[in-house]
């Protein structure tokens, strides 16, 4: 069946029926388009659009009028005599809300208008934005020039994306209508244009009945958000082409078939036209064909490739080809450049394979998002995204939850990224796997239209390995129709759907825990298992990622998993409330902040639930980006005696494709480096000095040659191994013990130039060096850790653990005793915690002013809840803003997010040590800290914290925990009064499953019903 023709006829017939009933087209599910041309592949490589003489860009500033509802729109503005000179200018492409017309709305599941399909103008609650803005309308006007040589050709008006529905007029005449926001809409305007200036008018509706299938978790924006152009072609032209390859069983031969559709839009017969398919240095020419006026002819050409280079994400080998059309005299009428990737995607029982290999999909989900232009993402930013993905060892991209711009697919073809291409179909507002939308026959054509548009446009891209029917939508006959359509149109890729495996070649499970993934993947035996969404990366997150991939690599039936998601969907908003500043810049100004749901007064909204990316809106990596880079790396390293064993998790790249180098760190600083030789999948550990303290080996696998996505020498995989444990310096006191006095319940310990005060609560209340106070607030027990997003949303942390917020301040001191030992003063405070535990705190202060602090916790019952953190807190003067430490870094890391953060000696300002999440929350921790110094801005003062037997977790901020609890954005934090320092044995993990219910994995929590102890030493200079 010719699906393009089928859809076009259906659209026209249902459109005429709709008009007869005088319904709004945009509230009628039967009207999907009026006078739209059939969907087809992207004609010509997207990267060459700017070089093509047949493409005339209409991008730029258009005249624009925004109306809050359809009744207030400027009726008749499309007329040639209608004066729009006093209208505003608007950039096309672009989202109108990002240009200060109307409000952006961020919402996840619910519809932003009253749910009452197919109506989008029913009355919603009065506090909703849609109450006073019942389907806003944007009226656009621009002009374009038609030259004399264009008049005898076919002229097509092409919109790459308009949200949500639009009417189009040329020179005052109505051309047509379209919805299906994320797919192209094209109109033949040959009969509407004239020589010279022509007027183009477009009326865009914010919502339409199509919005019921566009209920994705993202900012709800609208307008002409993708490029607009004229395509000027001969009347007889290439309207579509499809190039497929089939491999034989041993992949030694590929048969290539090209199907080229010629269309005659003129009124004359084209005699003896020929098509040439040029590939692999060969030209395959068709027999001459006649193309009658108004007819479309399909021409099929074949070619065989011996020993073909196979396309994969690891080896993105492409065969460039040219499709050409010539007339009877041999004159070139038209040609298109494209490329072929020869590959085979299949399931073999429960095994997912590419080119015969069991490939693992190391994935991420990506929304189109730019912090200043919204749904319009320019080429440079898209390429930046793809390059960063490759550098993070991501090999799989899901276009959640709609087709992206064509340039993204070309980049994935060239860079090497597998793509799950997703139809724009989500009706989550009716519920996950709902029957309302899946069974309603009124919506069948709308569902199928989105399947046809997806496959029709992107079927020539080698990167596409899976066609997704959509996300979190319906189940039933409408989805079955989508499935049948996709399978009939293209069986070379796998169909996929998350809501029910009956419509999918893979069994999906969203957000399983690692253990649930292990169990369910074993139980499912009829098809491969995939987690199309997992590891919800909201805020400070992506814990326990290695646990997932231990499971994935241990089970060949698991195809892979894709993190939700790639980029934080923040919008750059001026703090003073002034208008947004649309531009191509990704950077945030000093007077701006990253806005999320509700920051525009948008109702309803889901607050910061759109802030869940591996990178920020400015494309700067979040700290959890680096754990993904590490866990997703294709080579894993393991110590094997005097060797390091390498395990290759790639399928088409051998280990000897990389150069291997090493670094030796002593005390955290590099003391040696060099090259390593690969021998039997191992590298030998180089010689090192074994009598040093703290020796680590870093091993790196590096690119031998430059790639599109990285330069020669780029580190693809690495790991760190401890060769000699670090021994803390335990300086003994050889002088006379300090003097001890007691007064008013306080203990004063004084040496030559240091004075320490322990108050009646057992806290280190004062610490003076040379008469200068070093503390802003006491060092004291502290068990509370501010929540991160994973913890604040699941109820588990706040309801079960919030009692710990006041445990330390409500402690009871049983007694405080002093003693002298080995030239030091010992102060022991015995305490009782109201949670039901004993707590001892021992200070040992020597004559040099060094203070050793030892804490010991003993529970008195087995019903005590988990502890957010086990440790202490102090506050230092505000000028102690330089950090120098030996521990994991340089980026923030946590007990369940350590991979990829290597132990080393790092120095940085406090502003880099802490991390400002878009929604303030716990941050900045460093694990395995052997020592950390906080140094004053002028370098005259420093306080050193040194672990004793076991390394520490340390966080430091220029604000307090109480500010994190109340601030909604970083600029609201009350900074600069002090430096807040938490010194902990360990902290509760960040969690890494989801942000709406799952707790942190047990092994990364701190049991309250078990004993705990730790110690560290403070010193000052």
């Amino acid at each position: 069946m010719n699906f393009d023709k089928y859809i076009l006829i259906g659209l026209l017939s249902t459109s005429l029926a709709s008009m007869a009933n005088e319904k709004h087209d945009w509230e009628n599910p039967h009207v999907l388009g009026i006078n739209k041309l059939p969907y087809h592949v992207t004609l010509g490589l997207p990267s060459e659009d700017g070089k093509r003489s047949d493409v005339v860009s209409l991008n730029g500033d258009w005249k624009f009028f925004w109306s809050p509802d359809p009744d207030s729109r400027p009726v008749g503005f499309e007329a040639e005599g209608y004066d729009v000179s006093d209208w505003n200018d608007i950039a096309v492409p672009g989202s109108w809300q990002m240009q200060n017309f109307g409000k952006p709305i961020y919402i996840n599941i619910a519809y932003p208008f009253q749910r009452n399909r197919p109506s989008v103008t029913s009355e919603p609650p009065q506090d909703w934005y849609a109450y006073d803005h019942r389907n806003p309308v944007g009226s656009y006007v621009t002009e374009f020039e038609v030259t004399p040589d264009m008049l005898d050709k076919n002229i097509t008006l092409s919109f790459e994306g308009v949200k949500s529905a639009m009417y189009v007029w040329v020179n005052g005449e109505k051309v047509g209508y379209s919805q299906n926001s994320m797919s192209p809409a094209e109109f033949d305007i040959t009969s509407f244009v004239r020589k010279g200036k022509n007027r183009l008018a477009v009326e865009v509706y914010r919502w339409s009945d199509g919005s019921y299938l566009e209920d994705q978790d993202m900012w709800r924006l609208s307008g002409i958000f993708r490029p607009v152009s004229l395509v000027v072609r001969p009347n007889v032209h290439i309207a579509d082409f499809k190039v497929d390859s089939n491999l034989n069983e041993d992949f030694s031969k590929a048969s290539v078939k090209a199907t080229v559709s010629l269309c005659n839009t003129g009124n004359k017969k084209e005699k003896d036209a020929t098509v040439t398919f040029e590939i692999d240095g060969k030209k395959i020419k068709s027999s001459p064909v006649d193309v009658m006026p108004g007819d479309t002819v399909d021409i099929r050409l074949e070619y065989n490739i011996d020993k073909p280079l196979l396309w994969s994400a690891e080896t993105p080998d492409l065969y460039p080809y040219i499709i050409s059309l010539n007339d009877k005299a041999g004159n070139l009428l038209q040609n298109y450049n494209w490329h072929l990737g020869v590959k085979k995607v299949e399931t073999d029982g429960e095994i997912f394979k590419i080119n015969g290999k069991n490939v693992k999909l190391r994935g991420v989900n990506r929304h189109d998002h730019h912090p200043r232009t919204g749904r319009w993402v320019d080429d440079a930013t898209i390429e930046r995204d793809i390059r960063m993905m490759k550098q993070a060892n991501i090999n799989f991209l899901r276009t959640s939850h709609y087709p992206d711009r064509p340039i993204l697919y070309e980049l994935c073809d060239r860079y090497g990224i597998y793509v799950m291409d997703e139809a724009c179909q989500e009706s989550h507002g009716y519920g996950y796997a709902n029957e309302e939308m899946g069974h309603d026959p009124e919506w069948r054509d709308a569902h199928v239209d989105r399947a046809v548009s997806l496959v029709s446009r992107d079927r020539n891209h080698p990167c596409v390995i899976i066609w997704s029917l959509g996300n979190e939508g319906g189940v039933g006959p409408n989805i079955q129709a989508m499935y049948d359509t996709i399978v009939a149109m293209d069986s070379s890729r796998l169909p996929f759907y998350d809501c029910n495996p009956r419509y999918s070649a893979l069994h999906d499970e969203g957000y399983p825990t690692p253990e649930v993934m292990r169990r369910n993947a074993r139980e499912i035996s009829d098809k491969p298992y995939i987690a199309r969404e997992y590891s919800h990366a909201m805020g400070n997150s992506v814990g326990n990622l290695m646990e997932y991939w231990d499971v994935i690599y241990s089970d060949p039936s698991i195809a892979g998993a894709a993190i939700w998601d790639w980029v934080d969907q923040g919008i750059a908003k001026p703090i003073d409330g002034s208008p947004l500043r649309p531009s191509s810049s990704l950077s945030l100004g000093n007077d701006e902040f990253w806005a999320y749901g509700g920051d525009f007064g948008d109702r309803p909204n889901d607050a910061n639930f759109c802030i869940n990316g591996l990178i920020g809106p400015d494309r700067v990596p979040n700290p959890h980006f680096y754990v993904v880079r590490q866990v997703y790396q294709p080579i894993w390293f393991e110590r094997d005696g005097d060797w390091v064993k390498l395990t290759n998790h790639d399928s088409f790249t051998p280990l000897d494709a990389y150069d291997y180098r090493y670094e030796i760190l002593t005390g955290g600083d590099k003391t040696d480096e060099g090259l390593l030789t690969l021998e039997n999948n191992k590298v030998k550990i180089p010689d090192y000095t074994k009598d040093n303290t703290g020796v680590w080996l870093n091993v790196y696998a590096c690119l031998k040659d430059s790639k599109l996505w990285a330069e020669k020498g780029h580190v693809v995989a690495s790991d760190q191994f401890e060769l000699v444990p670090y021994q803390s310096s335990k300086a003994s006191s050889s002088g006379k013990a300090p003097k001890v006095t007691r007064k008013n319940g306080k203990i004063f310990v004084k040496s030559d130039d240091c004075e320490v005060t322990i108050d009646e609560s057992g806290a280190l209340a004062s610490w003076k060096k040379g008469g200068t106070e070093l503390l802003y607030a006491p060092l004291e027990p502290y068990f509370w850790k501010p929540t991160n997003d994973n913890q604040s949303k699941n109820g588990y942390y706040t309801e079960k653990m919030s009692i710990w917020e006041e445990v330390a301040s409500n402690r009871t001191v049983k007694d405080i005793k002093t003693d002298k030992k080995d030239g030091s003063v010992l102060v022991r405070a015995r305490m009782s915690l109201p949670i039901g535990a004993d707590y001892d705190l021992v200070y040992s202060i020597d004559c040099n002013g060094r203070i050793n602090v030892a804490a010991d916790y003993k529970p008195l019952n087995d019903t005590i809840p988990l502890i957010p953190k086990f440790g202490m807190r102090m506050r230092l003067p505000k000028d102690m803003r330089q950090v120098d430490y030996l521990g994991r870094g340089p980026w923030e890391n946590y007990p369940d997010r350590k991979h990829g953060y290597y132990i080393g000696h790092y120095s940085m300002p406090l502003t880099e040590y802490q991390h400002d999440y878009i929604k303030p929350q716990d941050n900045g921790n460093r694990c395995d800290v052997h020592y950390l110094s906080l140094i004053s801005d002028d370098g005259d003062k420093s306080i050193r914290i040194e672990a004793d037997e076991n390394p520490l977790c340390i966080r430091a901020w220029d604000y307090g925990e109480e500010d994190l609890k109340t601030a909604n954005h970083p600029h609201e934090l009350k900074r600069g009064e002090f430096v807040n320092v938490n010194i902990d044995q360990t902290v509760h993990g960040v969690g890494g499953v989801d942000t709406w219910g799952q707790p942190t994995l047990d092994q990364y929590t701190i049991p309250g019903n078990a004993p705990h102890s730790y110690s560290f030493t403070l010193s000052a200079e």
Side-chain angles (χ1 to χ4, degrees):
M1 179 184 290
N2 187 322
F3 286 94
D4 292 340
K5 293 178 181 177
Y6 166 78
I7 289 296
L8 179 61
I9 293 169
L11 299 186
L12 290 175
S13 63
T14 54
S15 298
L16 292 173
S18 170
M19 289 189 288
N21 293 329
E22 295 184 344
K23 296 179 181 178
H24 290 307
D25 297 321
W26 40 270
E27 288 184 317
N28 185 343
H30 292 287
V31 181
L32 308 179
I34 300 173
N35 294 332
K36 284 172 66 173
L37 292 173
Y39 299 117
H40 57 78
V41 297
T42 304
L43 296 170
L45 291 170
S47 62
E48 297 181 356
D49 279 353
K51 305 172 186 176
R52 287 170 51 188
S53 60
D54 61 333
V55 176
V56 179
S57 173
L58 299 186
N59 298 340
D61 288 339
W62 294 29
K63 287 298 181 180
F64 181 75
F65 189 92
W66 179 83
S67 307
D69 54 61
D71 290 341
S72 59
R73 76 193 194 282
V75 176
F77 81 99
E78 70 276 5
E80 292 195 78
Y82 196 102
D83 184 9
V84 297
S85 59
D86 62 345
W87 283 15
N88 291 292
D89 289 336
I90 193 169
V92 173
S95 302
W96 77 49
Q97 292 83 0
M98 303 299 290
Q99 301 180 65
N100 300 295
F101 299 101
K103 289 182 179 179
I105 299 173
Y106 168 66
I107 195 167
N108 175 13
I109 298 174
Y111 292 104
F113 46 82
Q114 182 61 41
R115 193 187 80 175
N116 182 27
R117 73 182 196 278
S119 171
V120 292
T121 52
S122 299
E123 183 174 313
Q126 292 189 15
D127 64 339
W128 283 26
Y129 176 79
Y131 184 82
D132 292 323
H133 302 83
R134 208 68 59 85
N135 200 12
V137 178
S139 302
Y140 293 78
V141 174
T142 191
E143 292 183 336
F144 60 90
E145 190 80 15
V146 172
T147 60
D149 64 308
M150 295 166 63
L151 290 175
D152 62 349
K153 296 181 180 179
N154 174 262
I155 301 177
T156 298
L157 175 62
S158 175
F159 296 86
E160 288 191 22
V162 179
K163 197 168 182 68
S164 163
M166 68 171 172
Y167 291 98
V168 179
W169 296 265
V170 172
N171 296 327
E173 295 187 62
K174 190 172 184 178
V175 172
Y177 168 83
S178 176
Q179 55 190 63
N180 185 0
S181 297
M182 313 304 283
S183 290
E186 294 188 338
F187 304 90
D188 187 337
I189 61 170
T190 307
S191 62
F192 294 89
V193 301
R194 62 187 177 224
K195 185 178 72 172
K197 289 191 181 299
N198 290 257
R199 180 188 179 101
L200 171 61
V202 184
E203 185 176 77
V204 179
Y205 288 77
R206 181 165 191 172
W207 299 308
S208 70
D209 57 271
S211 301
Y212 282 98
L213 293 177
E214 297 176 359
D215 190 33
Q216 291 97 348
D217 175 13
M218 62 184 184
W219 284 101
R220 311 303 173 93
L221 305 172
S222 43
I224 305 173
F225 69 96
R226 286 181 181 168
V228 184
S229 61
L230 299 178
V231 182
V232 184
R233 302 177 288 189
N235 287 317
V236 178
H237 55 263
I238 299 169
D240 202 359
F241 61 87
K242 177 175 67 172
V243 178
D244 296 323
S245 63
N246 289 299
L247 286 157
N248 63 357
E249 288 189 5
D250 65 0
F251 304 100
S252 63
K253 293 182 183 295
S255 61
V256 181
K257 296 181 180 181
T259 303
V260 183
S261 299
L262 301 183
C263 181
N264 188 344
T265 59
N267 53 19
K268 294 180 180 179
K269 174 182 176 181
E270 182 73 26
K271 296 183 64 177
D272 296 335
T274 57
V275 171
T276 302
F277 178 42
E278 186 175 349
I279 187 172
D280 197 27
K282 302 291 190 299
K283 292 184 178 181
I284 302 92
K285 189 175 182 179
S286 73
S287 300
V289 296
D290 296 341
V291 188
M292 302 300 291
D295 200 5
T296 298
V297 175
D298 287 343
I299 294 176
R300 294 175 175 82
L301 302 168
E302 296 186 8
Y303 176 70
N304 293 322
I305 303 176
D306 289 329
K307 298 179 181 178
L309 299 173
L310 302 184
W311 186 95
S312 70
E314 299 168 42
T315 57
D317 292 306
L318 297 169
Y319 287 89
Y321 64 83
I322 302 172
I323 301 282
S324 303
L325 171 64
N326 293 78
D327 63 13
K328 181 177 181 179
N331 297 313
L332 178 66
L333 299 179
Q334 201 178 17
N335 68 335
Y336 290 116
N337 294 321
W338 202 261
H339 50 226
L340 170 70
V342 178
K343 70 179 188 305
K344 183 177 183 179
V345 184
E346 62 183 325
T347 60
D348 183 359
E350 61 175 344
I351 306 300
F352 170 78
K353 291 183 177 181
I354 293 179
N355 299 334
K357 301 288 188 180
N358 184 193
V359 168
K360 297 296 186 181
L361 302 175
R362 307 186 293 260
V364 72
N365 289 266
R366 177 190 175 275
H367 265 300
D368 270 344
H369 180 77
H370 189 288
R372 297 189 184 277
T373 56
R375 199 66 57 224
W376 161 244
V377 185
D378 59 277
D379 292 5
T381 301
I382 291 177
E383 186 159 14
R384 186 171 180 171
D385 283 349
I386 298 303
R387 183 179 294 111
M388 291 180 71
M389 287 180 193
K390 287 291 289 187
Q391 292 180 356
N393 296 310
I394 291 166
N395 70 0
F396 175 56
L397 168 62
R398 179 179 180 226
T399 66
S400 51
H401 300 293
Y402 39 79
D404 288 342
R405 288 188 56 216
I407 187 65
L408 177 137
Y409 301 87
E410 181 184 344
L411 292 169
C412 289
D413 292 342
R414 296 184 184 280
Y415 278 74
I417 290 184
Y418 302 118
V419 172
M420 176 188 284
D421 202 4
E422 191 144 88
C424 185
Q425 185 272 120
E426 178 170 341
S427 54
H428 204 175
Y430 280 96
Y432 183 84
N434 68 84
E435 295 188 354
E436 286 91 336
M437 296 297 288
H439 282 256
D440 189 341
E442 298 286 299
W443 293 82
R444 180 188 183 279
D445 287 352
H447 280 81
V448 172
D449 178 53
R450 288 159 191 266
V452 171
S453 61
L454 172 77
V455 179
S456 296
R457 193 195 70 173
D458 296 338
R459 59 192 174 194
N460 283 339
H461 283 287
C463 66
V464 177
I465 61 169
I466 297 171
W467 298 119
S468 170
L469 280 62
N471 177 72
E472 296 169 347
V475 294
N478 295 340
I479 306 303
Q480 185 67 52
M482 291 186 76
Y483 174 87
D484 293 342
T485 298
I486 285 177
V487 170
M489 291 182 71
D490 178 27
S491 60
S492 69
R493 281 95 165 184
L494 303 178
F496 171 83
Y497 195 47
D498 66 304
C499 292
N500 193 311
R502 68 177 293 184
Y503 315 112
S504 182
L506 298 95
H507 186 105
D508 172 69
E509 184 167 22
Y511 302 100
T513 65
E515 191 51 43
V516 167
M517 175 184 281
R518 183 193 307 276
R519 182 183 68 241
N520 290 350
R522 286 175 176 172
E523 292 178 356
I524 296 161
S525 58
D526 60 331
K527 58 184 63 176
Y529 176 104
I530 191 172
R532 101 286 180 192
E533 294 178 21
Y534 83 123
S535 189
H536 197 256
M538 184 172 174
N540 186 356
S541 188
V542 195
N544 58 261
L545 190 65
M546 183 61 81
E547 280 76 4
Y548 277 114
W549 283 84
D550 283 339
V551 171
I552 291 169
Y553 282 129
S554 69
D555 187 339
S557 74
I558 303 178
I563 292 168
W564 186 268
D565 61 358
W566 174 244
V567 59
D568 288 329
Q569 295 182 65
I571 292 175
K573 187 176 190 290
I575 293 172
D576 64 5
S578 57
L580 300 180
R581 303 164 187 168
S583 74
S584 61
S585 173
L586 293 168
S587 300
L588 190 70
N590 292 331
D591 60 345
E592 296 177 308
F593 69 100
W594 297 125
Y596 48 74
D599 284 332
F600 296 92
D602 46 306
R603 298 290 184 274
N605 70 78
D606 281 312
N608 62 314
F609 204 70
C610 59
I611 307 298
N612 36 36
L614 299 181
I615 62 173
D618 53 3
R619 273 52 186 182
V620 173
N622 284 320
H624 39 275
F625 172 92
Y626 300 100
V627 71
V628 176
R629 183 178 70 178
Q630 179 79 8
V631 175
Y632 276 14
Q633 65 186 20
I635 302 170
W636 283 12
F637 302 85
E638 181 183 2
R639 179 96 181 252
D640 184 11
D642 292 333
W643 297 78
V644 174
K645 178 183 176 183
L646 282 61
T647 299
N648 189 359
H649 289 302
D650 267 348
S651 299
F652 309 105
T653 308
L655 291 174
D656 61 9
Y658 302 101
D659 289 327
Y660 295 90
R661 63 181 182 86
Y662 73 91
E663 292 176 344
I664 298 290
L665 306 182
T666 304
D669 295 315
K670 183 168 66 177
T671 54
D672 189 20
E673 62 183 332
L675 298 177
L676 296 168
T677 301
L678 184 67
E679 302 178 46
N680 298 319
N681 298 337
K682 294 181 179 181
V683 293
K684 189 171 180 59
I685 296 174
D687 293 336
Y688 58 93
T689 305
K690 295 180 175 58
D691 57 0
N692 282 327
T693 178
V695 181
W696 291 271
L697 168 69
N698 293 347
V699 182
Y700 306 96
C702 309
L703 289 179
K704 284 186 174 181
D705 301 295
S706 293
K707 305 283 187 181
L708 269 178
W709 48 274
E711 298 297 319
K712 175 182 178 179
H714 171 80
V715 175
V716 173
S718 63
D719 213 334
Q720 183 177 69
F721 301 93
E722 183 183 75
L723 301 178
V724 180
Y726 181 83
Q727 298 293 326
S728 60
S729 58
K730 296 182 178 180
S732 59
S733 177
S734 57
K736 186 179 179 181
K739 181 180 178 182
V740 183
T741 58
R742 299 185 74 135
K743 184 178 181 181
N744 298 327
K746 297 181 180 179
I747 298 171
F748 302 91
V749 181
K750 187 174 182 180
S751 60
D752 290 341
D753 67 343
C754 285
E755 185 174 348
V756 172
T757 302
I758 311 296
D759 68 15
E760 58 274 17
S761 73
L764 176 61
S766 175
W767 180 20
K768 294 180 181 179
K769 176 82 169 179
T772 300
E773 179 60 64
L774 300 176
L775 298 180
Y776 181 92
L779 173 74
E780 60 184 341
Y782 196 64
F783 306 103
W784 177 248
K785 183 189 75 65
T787 58
N788 60 17
D789 283 334
N790 285 348
Q791 294 150 357
S792 63
K793 303 287 192 205
N794 64 15
Y796 177 86
Y797 194 93
T798 52
E799 293 172 11
K800 301 290 181 64
M801 299 170 67
S802 59
I803 189 172
W804 285 100
E805 191 167 5
E806 303 298 330
V807 164
S809 60
N810 291 329
R811 65 189 182 274
T812 300
V813 177
K814 298 177 182 178
D815 60 58
I816 301 178
K817 296 181 179 180
T818 64
D819 195 2
K820 291 185 179 181
K821 183 179 180 182
D822 300 329
S824 297
V825 170
L826 273 61
V827 180
R828 179 178 180 179
R830 296 173 61 246
M831 308 176 192
S832 177
L833 302 180
I835 199 77
D838 286 336
Y839 183 88
D840 286 1
L841 194 55
V842 179
Y843 302 94
S844 178
I845 305 142
D846 71 13
C847 63
N848 297 312
R850 288 189 296 267
I851 308 169
N852 182 265
V853 184
D856 186 68
Y857 167 91
K858 288 185 174 61
L860 301 179
N861 62 69
D862 58 4
T863 61
I864 301 175
L866 298 177
I867 308 174
K869 72 154 194 156
F870 184 74
M872 303 184 75
R873 179 182 72 173
M874 65 180 177
R875 290 178 173 177
L876 305 179
K878 62 183 180 182
D879 65 336
M880 307 293 283
R881 290 181 296 205
Q882 298 297 316
V883 183
D884 182 89
Y885 75 99
L886 174 63
R888 291 196 179 273
W891 311 282
E892 164 200 279
N893 51 89
Y894 279 78
D896 56 350
R897 200 180 75 216
K898 283 186 178 183
H899 297 281
Y901 312 88
Y902 294 160
I903 294 175
H905 180 198
Y906 303 106
S907 296
M908 62 191 69
L910 181 61
T911 52
E912 292 182 15
Y913 187 88
Q914 61 195 21
H915 182 79
D916 282 343
Y917 286 96
I918 291 175
K919 172 66 167 68
Q921 57 196 277
D922 182 64
N923 70 88
N925 187 71
R926 301 300 191 277
C927 291
D928 298 327
V929 175
H930 294 284
Y931 67 77
L932 181 143
S933 295
L934 288 146
I935 305 163
S936 62
D937 294 335
D938 58 13
D940 287 345
K941 295 180 296 183
S942 71
I943 292 177
R944 180 181 172 102
I945 306 160
E946 185 157 6
D948 286 351
E949 296 299 326
N950 298 306
L952 305 167
C953 287
I954 298 182
R955 289 166 294 142
W957 313 313
D958 61 356
Y959 48 80
E961 275 92 349
E962 61 276 12
D963 297 310
L964 284 175
K965 193 172 183 179
T966 58
N968 290 315
H969 304 92
H971 69 272
E972 298 168 5
L973 292 167
K974 191 175 181 181
R975 301 175 184 271
E977 292 185 359
F978 51 79
V979 174
N980 189 93
V981 184
N982 279 276
I983 310 167
D984 304 319
Q985 177 201 45
T986 189
V987 298
H988 192 90
V990 297
V993 178
D994 64 38
T995 314
W996 51 88
Q998 287 291 342
T1000 298
L1001 298 189
D1002 287 346
Q1003 60 266 41
Y1004 301 115
T1005 63
I1006 310 168
N1009 55 9
H1012 302 281
S1013 61
Y1014 84 127
S1015 62
F1016 57 91
T1017 298
L1018 299 175
S1019 59
E1021 292 183 3

